[in-house]
Amino acid sequence: MGTLKRGAAAAAIGLIAISSSTTAWAEFPDKPITLVVPFSAGGPSDKIARDLAEALRKPLAQTVIVDNTAGAGGTIGAARVARASPDGYTLLVHHIGISTAPALYKKLPYRTLEDFENLGLINEAPSTLIGKPGLAANNFADLRKWISSNDGKVNLANAGVGSASHLCGLVLQATLPSKMAFVPYKGTAPAMTDLMGGQVDLMCEQATNAVPQIEAKKVKVFGVTSKQRMALPALAQVPTLAEAGLTGFEMSVWHGVYAPKGTPPPVLARLHAAIRAALKDPELIQREEALGVRIVTDARLEPAEHKKYVEGEMIRWARIIKDSGESAD
Ligand code: ASP
C-alpha cells in the first residue's frame, strides 16, 4: 500500500473508532449506575446518596444503585472509585472528608485532586452536638462542667478519622481544657445506635441524622454548628455553639459527586446535567430540607468550582488539623 493509501486507511479506521465510541457515549447510560457511599447505610452521606439516586432515575432513564463501602473515615470507598473503570458507571458521593483526609492520613490510597473528575458540590448541612439520653447536663454550660468533672473519661463517637463528626470533635476538643476519647465507627448510623443506647457519651452529627432522634427525645442536643440558629422546629430553641460560648465555632458539612479520572467528557457532561436536574426535584429538596440540609445549586455545582472548593477546604482544614496534632496511618 502507498503512503497516501495507508494514510487514508488509517484515517478511516480512526473515524470508525471515533464514531463508534461517540455512539457508545450517546447511549450512556445503558446499564445501572452505582453511587459508592464511603460510610455505613443509614447515615447522612447514605441519605443524600439515596435521595440523589432516586432523583437521578428520571434524567438518566436508568436505575441508580447505592453501595456502601465504609471504613477508615471514607478513604476505602474513595479509593474504590479512584480505581474503578472510568466509564461513568461507578461514582462516589463523599463529604468534606475528601478534603481533610490528605492532612490526616500519612498514606492515602488515592490522590485527591488527580484521581477524580469533579461532578459538583450538591448539599451542605450544619452539625449538632448531641449526647446520650441519660447525660447529666441539659445545656452547653452544664455539659462543659460535666466534661471537666469526667476528665479523660468522656467518649465522643465519630465515623472514623477524617469524617465530619471527627473534624467537629477535633474543633470541639481544641476549645475544651479536658481530654475526651474519640471512638471511631464506620459511619454515624451505627454510632447513633450506640449513643442512643448510652454506650458512648457524645457525638457531633449532621442535622440530617440528628433531627429525628432529637424530635423523638432519644438524644439530648447541646448546640448547632451553624452561624445562626436553625429554623427547623426541632432545633429552633437550640443555641449555636458560638452563642453557647465557643467563639468562632462554625461548621457545615458538604457533599460532592466524583467520577474516576479519565471518564470521557461526554459522559461527564451527561452525568452533570442529570445531577443538576435531579437537584431541582421538589421531593428531594423537601426531604433534605426537612432535615436541615440545604441543596446547593450555586457556582460550586459547576465541576471546576467544585474542584476549587475542594482545594480551598484542603488548605483550610490542613491548618486546623495541624494545630490539633491529630493523624492516622
Ligand atoms: N455523618 C458521618 C460523618 O460524621 C458520615 C456518615 O455516616 O454519613 O462523617
Side-chain angles (χ1 to χ4, degrees):
M1 213 191 282
T3 318
L4 257 178
K5 271 194 186 160
R6 261 205 306 271
I13 291 167
L15 271 179
I16 291 165
I18 289 168
S19 71
S20 63
S21 51
T22 306
T23 314
W25 295 337
E27 279 164 19
F28 174 86
D30 62 1
K31 62 178 184 182
I33 290 177
T34 299
L35 298 184
V36 174
V37 171
F39 297 101
S40 330
S45 304
D46 184 63
K47 164 85 181 132
I48 182 63
R50 283 178 201 273
D51 280 353
L52 182 67
E54 185 66 37
L56 277 172
R57 280 188 189 141
K58 207 160 148 207
L60 286 175
Q62 257 308 333
T63 306
V64 182
I65 298 159
V66 171
D67 192 343
N68 302 84
T69 303
T75 58
I76 298 176
R80 172 180 163 196
V81 176
R83 287 192 292 263
S85 170
D87 54 12
Y89 289 100
T90 310
L91 308 176
L92 174 70
V93 177
H94 199 349
H95 67 12
I96 190 169
I98 197 155
S99 290
T100 58
L104 278 162
Y105 286 83
K106 292 194 189 96
K107 252 192 282 149
L108 267 186
Y110 57 86
R111 295 167 307 161
T112 311
L113 295 172
E114 293 83 2
D115 290 350
F116 298 100
E117 307 280 1
N118 294 63
L119 282 165
L121 190 143
I122 56 169
N123 77 351
E124 56 192 354
S127 287
T128 58
L129 179 61
I130 50 178
K132 63 183 179 185
L135 204 150
N138 289 320
N139 54 46
F140 188 70
D142 287 355
L143 180 70
R144 254 187 143 135
K145 283 187 212 133
W146 182 79
I147 295 174
S148 50
S149 55
N150 287 287
D151 197 359
K153 285 187 244 147
V154 175
N155 291 318
L156 189 69
N158 66 43
V161 174
S163 64
S165 38
H166 177 230
L167 300 170
C168 186
L170 286 181
V171 180
L172 177 68
Q173 177 65 83
T175 66
L176 299 172
S178 341
K179 267 266 165 255
M180 297 181 287
F182 289 179
V183 186
Y185 290 78
K186 286 189 173 179
T188 42
M192 183 68 88
T193 307
D194 276 8
L195 185 72
M196 292 187 301
Q199 281 88 16
V200 283
D201 302 311
L202 291 170
M203 176 158 65
C204 206
E205 172 65 323
Q206 285 146 82
T208 330
N209 224 24
V211 164
Q213 312 310 344
I214 294 168
E215 279 171 346
K217 302 208 180 335
K218 289 188 176 161
V219 294
K220 287 190 167 185
V221 58
F222 299 100
V224 290
T225 68
S226 44
K227 199 171 190 164
Q228 259 107 37
R229 287 189 183 199
M230 292 180 69
L232 287 185
L235 296 175
Q237 304 307 319
V238 179
T240 64
L241 284 176
E243 253 182 278
L246 297 186
T247 344
F249 198 115
E250 195 197 327
M251 180 183 173
S252 78
V253 181
W254 48 268
H255 285 86
V257 188
Y258 307 81
K261 188 75 189 173
T263 305
V267 171
L268 292 174
R270 175 96 174 88
L271 287 168
H272 175 73
I275 291 169
R276 194 170 269 283
L279 296 184
K280 290 195 181 124
D281 183 318
E283 278 179 34
L284 172 134
I285 296 172
Q286 198 259 324
R287 277 202 299 267
E288 292 285 321
E289 278 181 355
L291 297 170
V293 181
R294 198 172 74 81
I295 293 299
V296 168
T297 48
D298 61 29
R300 294 170 299 169
L301 178 55
E302 278 307 317
E305 288 300 314
H306 175 204
K307 188 165 185 175
K308 263 198 235 156
Y309 194 75
V310 170
E311 281 182 83
E313 286 284 87
M314 281 168 75
I315 296 165
R316 183 166 84 93
W317 281 97
R319 261 184 254 123
I320 300 171
I321 290 161
K322 195 164 171 253
D323 291 346
S324 77
E326 189 83 1
S327 75
D329 292 327

